[in-house]
Structures are given as structure tokens and as C-alpha cells.
Amino acid sequence: QGGTANHALWKKFDEACTQVHQQVQLWLGKARAQSSENKASRQALIDEVKAWSAAQPATPDWKETARALRQFGQRWRDGGHIGEKLFAELQTAWKEAIHAAEAPLKAKQKESIARREALISEAKSLQDGGVFSVDAIKSLQHQWQTLAQDVPLDRKLEQKLWDAFRAPLDALFERKSVPPQFSAAGGEGVADVLDEDQAQHQVLVFRRVHVGAQLVGGGPECFLDVVEHVGWLLMGTRRRASKFGI
């Protein structure tokens, strides 16, 4: 104030501001172009999901369906930045498209969960009844394996259901594999076993029946060693008596 104007310094300041402004304008231009490209990419993805959903067969490969849906979701998350208002508009359209695409799989998963829970109840009934039925257990395991291979579930839910199914069968086999003289019943019931030849056959056939529980995303299968030392239960009277001196 009141001093002599320094035109040289003012000129330098003005030139610096002009350079900064040009750089900002350049950045804004690139940002607008990128945003426009991201918008087009997201809209194309929404259209792709709708077309994919319409083209699905009545009975698709559910594992492939789950994999495709995961890939769609990842592509949307990697879609790049766009303006907040525009993103809100596209997000609404995206949710409508992806929810419609997911609906058949969600319904199938709900059905599969209900069927697996029914198998869990049957397994618990076997345990509660205390009846060791090789055919019944094999049937349950086969049904579980079919469901697990057909319809993928969330990994944590898959494991939770599997553990609930496995527990009563493990308990049943554990109870039936204890030698009579070490059980609460002592040596009673020794005569109520299968003959030795049939017992050996059952052990050979049923020693390691496994159940595959395939996870979402192609994870490792789960195996159930359903019979360990079943011979304790099925061993013939004379052979068991000789082994344990009873």
C-alpha cells in the first residue's frame, strides 16, 4: 500500500498462476474423459448382466452360474470412479440387474439348504435311535454329496451345515466302534453281531465312504472317514471272545 508497483514480480506471479491453471485444466479434462469412459463401461456391464440373465437355461450349471456372478460383482467393484450423483443412478440400475440375475441361484440355494437341513435331522434321528444301519448312512452321505456337488453355498455356511451333518454320524460310529467289554453294557450283546465273513465284507466295502462338499469358488473337497474300526461291532463272536479273553 502506497508503495511503487513491482511489475516484474507481478508478471512472474501471473505466469505461475497461468501455468497452474493450465495443469489443472489438463487434469480435469483427463478426469472427465476417464469418468465418461467409466460410465460407459459400467452401463455396458449392466447391459451384459441383463443379456446374460436372459440367456440362462432353465437348469444351468449352478457352479458356473455362481462363478459368473462373482466375476460380474468384481468387475463392478473395479469399475472406476464416476461422479457421486451419476454413480447413485447407475448403482440403482446395477442392483436391479444383478438381483434379477442372482434370483434363480438364490432360490436353488434356499432349496439346497432346506434339503441339507432335512438330512441333518435324519442323521440326528439315526444317532438318537442308536441303530447302526450301513445302508441308511450310505444313503444319507450319497444325498449330501449330490447336493454339495450340484449347488455351491457360501463357504462359512457350507462348513457349518457340513459340521452339523457329520457330528451325529461320527458320534454313531464312535459309539458302535467301542469293544463291548469297554462299554457301559460290558460284554452283553456279543452274540447279536453279524457272522465273521459278512462282517469282513462290510468293513471292506464301507471302510472309507466319503462325502464331497465342494465350496464356492472351487475350494477343496471335504471327506468323511465314516468307518474306523467297525470290526469291533461286526466281528464274529468267537473271534472277539478270543481276542479279548471273554
Side-chain angles (χ1 to χ4, degrees):
Q1 294 179 348
T4 305
N6 192 327
H7 295 289
L9 288 177
W10 172 257
K11 184 177 181 180
K12 289 182 179 180
F13 174 75
D14 185 59
E15 289 175 349
C17 288
T18 300
Q19 290 178 359
V20 170
H21 179 73
Q22 290 175 346
Q23 292 175 0
V24 169
Q25 288 300 111
L26 180 62
W27 179 87
L28 288 175
K30 290 181 178 180
R32 283 191 290 266
Q34 186 63 55
S35 178
S36 178
E37 181 180 334
N38 292 341
K39 174 188 174 182
S41 177
R42 287 181 181 273
Q43 184 60 58
L45 179 58
I46 292 172
D47 295 339
E48 182 182 347
V49 170
K50 290 179 178 179
W52 176 87
S53 181
Q56 291 304 292
T59 54
D61 181 328
W62 295 111
K63 289 185 178 180
E64 288 299 324
T65 297
R67 184 175 295 111
L69 290 171
R70 287 196 304 274
Q71 291 174 349
F72 285 140
Q74 188 60 50
R75 287 169 60 188
W76 178 260
R77 289 188 291 273
D78 294 340
H81 176 75
I82 55 178
E84 184 176 340
K85 182 179 179 180
L86 181 57
F87 178 78
E89 295 174 358
L90 288 177
Q91 179 78 342
T92 298
W94 163 255
K95 287 183 176 181
E96 291 177 357
I98 198 65
H99 288 171
E102 292 173 338
L105 176 61
K106 295 289 186 182
K108 193 67 177 179
Q109 288 175 327
K110 184 177 180 180
E111 176 188 333
S112 180
I113 291 171
R115 293 175 64 186
R116 296 190 207 197
E117 289 175 340
L119 291 178
I120 292 171
S121 296
E122 291 185 45
K124 290 179 178 179
S125 296
L126 283 180
Q127 179 191 9
D128 294 339
V131 178
F132 184 83
S133 171
V134 170
D135 290 338
I137 294 172
K138 288 176 68 176
S139 175
L140 288 178
Q141 292 171 331
H142 176 72
Q143 293 178 68
W144 188 278
Q145 182 180 29
T146 299
L147 290 172
Q149 291 177 344
D150 184 34
V151 182
L153 301 178
D154 173 78
R155 290 180 182 272
K156 291 184 179 180
L157 176 58
E158 183 103 39
Q159 187 64 46
K160 180 180 178 181
L161 291 171
W162 165 253
D163 290 340
F165 174 72
R166 174 175 178 167
L169 297 184
D170 282 354
L172 183 60
F173 280 119
E174 181 67 22
R175 186 167 66 215
K176 293 301 183 181
S177 65
V178 176
Q181 67 273 31
F182 295 145
S183 68
E188 297 177 3
V190 172
D192 298 328
V193 296
L194 301 177
D195 62 81
E196 185 172 348
D197 290 340
Q198 186 178 2
Q200 291 176 347
H201 173 71
Q202 291 282 18
V203 173
L204 288 174
V205 170
F206 198 62
R207 183 166 180 78
R208 292 181 66 86
V209 178
H210 71 274
V211 176
Q214 184 70 38
L215 303 180
V216 168
E221 292 184 347
C222 298
F223 294 91
L224 172 61
D225 296 335
V226 294
V227 177
E228 288 296 338
H229 309 301
V230 179
W232 288 118
L233 171 65
L234 303 178
M235 189 181 297
T237 303
R238 286 180 298 176
R239 187 174 178 183
R240 182 182 295 182
S242 174
K243 187 173 184 66
F244 296 98
I246 58 174

